[in-house]
Amino acid sequence: MEGFTVRHDEELERAYDVWVLVRRSLGVSSFGLNIVELPAGGAIPEHDERDRDQEEVFYVVAGTPTLVVDGVDHPLRAGSWARLDPEPVRTVRNDADEPARVLIVSTPRASGYVPMDWA
């Protein structure tokens, strides 16, 4: 059957020991969707999304990472959500002793997405 893709976690492509390439593994082409698995002491590169004009949403699946936005720490825990405009400089850092798993979704602000009236 065509028109959908199902992959289990262990089937998803990995990169650089910390990235789970969900978007690529599922064939998503309209938005970014990946998981970062940060070991104790790990972090993603500090960056902004100005060049791509992308909003980013972070969801903590497991652990207690810290979202750093323009140099200010924002402690998170499993179940936390955060949304960022393209301009702030950001990173996710794991100061905890246990691994952290964070889902990151991104899309250009000019994506053409139209929300449903009720949502």
Side-chain angles (χ1 to χ4, degrees), residues 2 5 7-8 11 17 19 22-23 26 29 36 39 45 49 54 58 66 70 84 87 101 112:
E2 292 188 32
T5 306
R7 297 282 183 269
H8 301 284
E11 299 171 318
D17 294 326
W19 289 100
V22 178
R23 183 202 60 77
L26 292 176
S29 60
V36 63
E49 292 294 339
Q54 291 190 146
F58 296 81
T66 299
D70 288 334
L84 286 98
E87 296 80 14
R101 193 166 202 209

Side-chain angles (χ1 to χ4, degrees), residues 20-79:
V20 181
L21 305 181
V22 178
R23 183 202 60 77
R24 184 182 294 180
S25 297
L26 292 176
V28 175
S29 60
S30 58
F31 58 92
L33 174 70
N34 292 303
I35 291 177
V36 63
E37 297 176 326
L38 294 173
I44 65 171
E46 188 175 68
H47 68 287
D48 64 47
E49 292 294 339
R50 291 173 199 233
D51 291 345
R52 297 186 296 171
D53 194 38
Q54 291 190 146
E55 278 186 307
E56 283 188 319
V57 173
F58 296 81
Y59 175 72
V60 180
V61 178
T64 55
T66 299
L67 176 64
V68 183
V69 180
D70 288 334
V72 178
D73 288 2
H74 300 274
L76 303 175
R77 59 178 171 77

Side-chain angles (χ1 to χ4, degrees), residues 91-109:
T91 185
V92 178
R93 187 181 70 226
N94 186 13
D95 299 327
D97 292 333
E98 75 275 354
R101 193 166 202 209
V102 181
L103 171 68
I104 303 172
V105 179
S106 61
T107 191
R109 289 190 285 190

